[in-house]
Structure formats: structure tokens, C-alpha cells
Amino acid sequence: MPNLNRLLAGLPAEDYERLLPHLTPVTFSLGEVIYESQGLMEHVYFPTTGHVSLLYTMVNGATAEVGLVGNEGLVGIALFMGGDTTPNQAIVQGAGEAFRMKAAAMQEEFRRGGAFQLALLRYTQSLITQISQTAVCNRLHTTEQRLCRWILMTHDRVHSDDLQMTHEFISNMLGIQREAVSIAAHRLKNKGAISYARGRIRIADRGSLEECVCECYQMVRDEK
Amino acid sequence: MPNLNRLLAGLPAEDYERLLPHLTPVTFSLGEVIYESQGLMEHVYFPTTGHVSLLYTMVNGATAEVGLVGNEGLVGIALFMGGDTTPNQAIVQGAGEAFRMKAAAMQEEFRRGGAFQLALLRYTQSLITQISQTAVCNRLHTTEQRLCRWILMTHDRVHSDDLQMTHEFISNMLGIQREAVSIAAHRLKNKGAISYARGRIRIADRGSLEECVCECYQMVRDEK
DNA sequence: ATGTTTATGTGCGTTGGCGCACATAATGTA
DNA sequence: TACATTATGTGCGCCAACGCACATAAACAT
């Protein structure tokens, strides 16, 4: 169940079989850069057990994440949206496996206009919802709520209660200070929602996290 | 030049002529709701002189804009992305004209896979960039920078230096207090960038606005 | 075993924006 | 003309987050 890409898995057998020869398994290692901002994109990636952050970097070096892609989607939507670069960076946030496909092969299948095209467009719509909700959430919700949301979203894409990530890393995703992450994490620890130490966060009580999180989490989840 | 939709205008004559019978001119009045959140969408709209805000509303009533659509794009992308509702509201922010097209007719043309499909997908990609940049901007930039960006983006979509909008309205777009808008606007007035009074803002010196604005403005503009 | 690097904790002064309560002034209405 | 409504100005206390400076402690390297 976890070891597949849900977008691919939802295709009719006929379409899937046509794709199969073009799918190459690859391994994502933590922190690996899949796409550089403005860099040339040559493949799309269908994560299975790995997952990827879509990141923007400002001229002063500040960063913030706009979306998270796991086995529900694919990385590289610009390649069928009529571009060959993206303005954002894509980096591996959870190590694991993915299938890779050459841009040209993907585009050829996309142009057939069948179930594959539909699935890709549907996913893109749900990603738009995720990014939009992030925009609103960044403006209207507290650090603690946003941290909860991010942990829950990550948890949904990792098949474990143990997440490997430092406060520093999270601060770059949420676009906040490292210290602010430590403080918010400490509060969540006091509530019994999580525990953590040196680059490891354990989800102790998902229910507590769901109580703290803002509505944005459910909104995006329901859309899928 | 202003009285057309650039997305439609960029199509080859052949494709455009096929669309023409399906395009009905409509008038957008200020504040008109084009789509309600989760409401059924029956048409797409190609603005010519009007423009539209894409808005999210939280359960507590707070609102924030994620995107702005003028004659460079269309309203209702969900209809070709495989949905028939959107999670956001679309409201008229600048009164004016648009062409309307029935969802079914648009979808039929979209499925042909030609220039029309390409244009729609390209535009969707640029909208994704806009929304992403909004997400990051909301997190990392000051009220004054965001106000500048919003005024400039609006100015680009209105064919006049006079904008009709109250501070209250702007506060709902930016997701901030009305008072915060008044204060930031006052600063811009002192710099000679704008002047304003009772629901009217005049762009006095675009250059000054461009000096105050964050990089997000150019990023989104260049993407187009 | 020791020193270095990395991850987190903590305090403190500053600031930007919020929530609120009003004041002022322009516009609309009877 | 008088009164209500709407738009903007302003002040004040409050709080969350920032920027910075460190302290502490675990993990790693030699």
C-alpha cells in the first residue's frame, strides 16, 4: 500500500501499462535537490515512499515552503503546464523512493488526453489549493498552528511516527526563526503531542496535533 | 489594446474563430461575486477591462486574497482542471467588461488539445507562480511592501491611475487590519507615491512604488 | 579521552501589527 | 439644513515574533 504512487495507481491498467516502460525507480536522499530555481527540468518524479518540498528562496536568502508532495502527486508539473523551468526549488524532505519519467515521454502521454492527463490536471488543481491555503495560513494563523499543520502534512506523507528533521530545517520551511520553532515545539511537547531530540521528532499523539491545527489542514486534505 | 483579453488575443485566428460564437460579453460590477466558495461553476470568464480577486475566507470571517486576474488570464481554471467547484471566492475588484463562455463549450475546445489548451495551461502555471509568491510574500515581507505590490498589481490590470477602493476593502485583500492599511497608505502618501481620499487612490509616482515594493512583484511579472 | 561540531534552550530589548476606542471629516439623505 | 452614514486618522496597551547573545548538551572526530 505505501510502496506505490497513488496518482499512477489510480490509472486504468491499459494506460498504466503504456507508461510502465518509461518509469525508472530512483532513490531520493534527504536534502537532495530535485530542481533548482529556474533550472532546466528533464524529468518528472512520482514519489512512492519519499516526499518533496516546494521551496521559494528570496534574494536575501530567506526561504519558505509553498507545497509538499508525497505519493499522492508528482513533482514537475510545469513540464506539462507548458514550461521547462519552475520558479521554485524542489528538495527532498523525506528520503525514499520515487519513479522518474523523461519529460518527453510524459508529455507524449499527456497529449493523448486520457486518464493520465485528467489525473495530472486534477492533482495540479489540488496543489493549487494547497498553495493557496498556505498563502492564507501564512497571513492569518499563528506559528504554533502552522507548525502543527506542517507536522501533520509531513506525517501524512511519511509512513512512520518518527520524523527526521531539525528545528533549523523546519524554520526554513515555515519561513520563521529557528528559535520560534524551538519555542512552539516545546509547547507541543508540553501538551504531549510530540516528543523530540536532536533532529528527530516523534508524533506522540496525533489527536492533540489535530486539536491545535488551523482549519487549513482539513481544507487541503478534503480537496484531495 | 486594452479592450481585449490577451489570452484569447494570442490564439491563432482559426482557433479564435471557433471560439467566437461561444463568447458572450458581460459586464462586471464592482464587488460582484463571480464564484462562491464551493459553489457550482457554470462559466469561465475572460476579463477585458474588468478584473477579479481570488479570495479565501476563514471560518472566523477573516479573508485574504491569493491571486488577481485581469485581461492576461481567465477566471474559472478549475473547470478545465477537472473540477466543477473551487475552494475560493472570486469577486470583481475592478468594474469592467469580460467575455463569458459556457463550461461545456470551453471543455470541448480544451480537449482538442491545441493552442487553446496550451494557452490555458500556460496561464494556469503563471497563476500558480502568483499564488506561490503571495504565500511567501505574506510570510516574509512587511505590510508596506505588500501594499505596494498590491497597488502595482492592481494598476497593471486597470487602465487608469485612479483606483476606486477603500482602505477597508484593501485590508480584506491583504488580510490585515483596516488601520494598518491607513498607516501604510499614509507613509506612501508622504513619499509622494500615491494620493488618496475617501475610496479613491491615485497613483502619483509609480517609480516610488516600485522602489518600495518587494522582489515578489517583479518575479510574478517576469513569469508571464 | 578530548575537543569540535551540531542541536536545542533561554533571556532580553525591539518592533510590527492587533484590538479597541474614539476623533474628524466627507458624503448621502430626509 | 440637520442628521446619519461612511471613510480615514490617531492613540494606547498588548503580544508574537525578530535579532542577537549566549548556555547547555548530545554526537562526532581524532
Side-chain angles (χ1 to χ4, degrees):
Chain A
M1 161 91 178
N3 199 13
L4 52 75
N5 177 279
R6 286 190 274 153
L7 204 147
L8 293 177
L11 295 176
E14 178 192 8
D15 298 70
Y16 182 68
E17 274 155 29
R18 208 165 40 237
L19 289 180
L20 207 50
H22 300 287
L23 296 172
T24 310
V26 292
T27 302
F28 284 158
S29 55
L30 192 62
E32 186 182 339
V33 176
I34 308 290
Y35 299 129
E36 205 53 74
S37 168
Q38 307 300 342
L40 203 64
M41 304 162 77
E42 293 176 2
H43 301 89
V44 292
Y45 297 84
F46 298 92
T48 55
T49 56
H51 70 284
V52 172
S53 276
L54 307 180
L55 267 191
Y56 273 63
T57 304
M58 300 291 101
V59 289
N60 71 357
T63 61
E65 185 186 82
V66 300
L68 212 45
V69 184
N71 74 358
E72 81 286 2
L74 85 163
V75 185
I77 58 171
L79 282 172
F80 55 82
M81 297 301 284
D84 55 1
T85 64
T86 53
N88 58 280
Q89 226 188 9
I91 73 163
V92 175
Q93 203 234 80
E97 307 294 313
F99 289 107
R100 190 173 84 174
M101 190 173 178
K102 281 227 167 79
M106 179 276 292
Q107 283 157 352
E108 191 188 326
E109 183 65 21
F110 183 86
R111 273 192 291 269
R112 296 178 70 105
F116 185 69
Q117 185 184 91
L118 193 66
L120 263 47
L121 294 182
R122 279 241 165 88
Y123 170 68
T124 302
Q125 172 65 31
S126 78
L127 185 64
I128 292 174
T129 300
Q130 190 189 329
I131 299 172
S132 300
Q133 205 73 47
T134 301
V136 174
C137 193
N138 277 347
R139 187 79 273 292
L140 300 171
H141 297 140
T142 65
T143 292
E144 187 170 337
Q145 289 174 313
R146 300 205 323 277
L147 176 59
C148 278
R149 183 162 90 94
W150 191 82
I151 293 175
L152 287 171
M153 286 179 58
T154 301
H155 191 214
D156 290 338
R157 287 167 178 80
V158 162
H159 312 284
S160 153
D161 288 346
D162 268 295
L163 315 180
Q164 280 237 334
M165 48 200 44
T166 64
H167 295 182
E168 170 88 32
F169 179 84
I170 298 175
S171 76
N172 289 325
M173 298 298 127
L174 297 184
I176 61 181
Q177 261 198 169
R178 191 274 307 166
E179 290 86 336
V181 175
S182 295
I183 289 167
H186 197 90
R187 278 205 287 262
L188 294 181
K189 186 189 242 176
N190 284 341
K191 289 180 186 168
I194 61 174
S195 63
Y196 60 91
R198 285 191 80 74
R200 254 195 47 255
I201 297 184
R202 173 176 212 91
I203 316 284
D205 178 8
R206 234 192 104 99
S208 297
L209 288 172
E210 285 169 356
E211 276 172 33
C212 296
V213 77
C214 50
E215 58 195 291
C216 302
Y217 176 66
Q218 274 297 336
M219 287 283 176
V220 174
R221 223 185 135 80
D222 292 349
E223 172 81 5
K224 276 196 286 205
Chain B
M1 161 90 176
N3 200 11
L4 51 74
N5 177 279
R6 288 189 274 153
L7 204 147
L8 294 176
L11 295 176
E14 177 192 10
D15 299 70
Y16 182 67
E17 274 155 29
R18 207 165 40 237
L19 289 179
L20 206 51
H22 300 290
L23 297 172
T24 310
V26 291
T27 301
F28 284 159
S29 55
L30 191 63
E32 186 182 338
V33 177
I34 309 290
Y35 299 128
E36 205 53 73
S37 169
Q38 307 300 341
L40 203 64
M41 305 162 76
E42 293 175 0
H43 302 89
V44 291
Y45 297 84
F46 298 92
T48 55
T49 56
H51 69 285
V52 172
S53 276
L54 307 181
L55 267 192
Y56 273 62
T57 304
M58 300 291 102
V59 289
N60 70 357
T63 61
E65 186 186 80
V66 300
L68 212 46
V69 184
N71 74 358
E72 82 286 2
L74 85 163
V75 185
I77 58 171
L79 283 172
F80 54 82
M81 297 299 284
D84 56 0
T85 64
T86 53
N88 59 280
Q89 226 188 6
I91 74 162
V92 175
Q93 205 234 80
E97 306 295 313
F99 290 105
R100 190 172 83 173
M101 189 172 179
K102 281 229 168 77
M106 179 277 292
Q107 283 156 352
E108 191 188 326
E109 183 65 23
F110 183 87
R111 273 192 291 268
R112 296 179 71 103
F116 184 69
Q117 184 185 92
L118 193 66
L120 263 47
L121 294 182
R122 279 240 166 88
Y123 170 69
T124 302
Q125 173 65 31
S126 78
L127 184 63
I128 291 174
T129 300
Q130 190 190 330
I131 298 173
S132 299
Q133 205 72 48
T134 302
V136 174
C137 193
N138 276 348
R139 187 78 273 293
L140 299 170
H141 298 141
T142 65
T143 293
E144 186 169 336
Q145 290 174 312
R146 300 205 324 277
L147 176 59
C148 279
R149 183 162 91 93
W150 192 82
I151 292 175
L152 287 171
M153 287 180 58
T154 301
H155 190 214
D156 291 338
R157 288 167 177 79
V158 163
H159 313 284
S160 154
D161 289 345
D162 268 296
L163 314 179
Q164 279 238 334
M165 47 200 43
T166 65
H167 295 182
E168 170 87 32
F169 180 84
I170 298 176
S171 77
N172 289 326
M173 299 298 128
L174 298 184
I176 61 180
Q177 261 199 168
R178 191 273 306 166
E179 290 87 336
V181 175
S182 295
I183 290 167
H186 197 91
R187 279 205 287 260
L188 294 180
K189 186 189 243 175
N190 285 341
K191 289 180 186 167
I194 61 174
S195 63
Y196 60 91
R198 284 190 79 76
R200 253 193 49 254
I201 296 184
R202 173 175 211 89
I203 317 285
D205 178 8
R206 234 193 104 99
S208 297
L209 288 173
E210 284 169 356
E211 276 172 32
C212 296
V213 78
C214 50
E215 58 194 293
C216 301
Y217 175 66
Q218 274 297 337
M219 288 281 176
V220 174
R221 224 184 134 81
D222 293 349
E223 172 81 4
K224 277 194 287 208

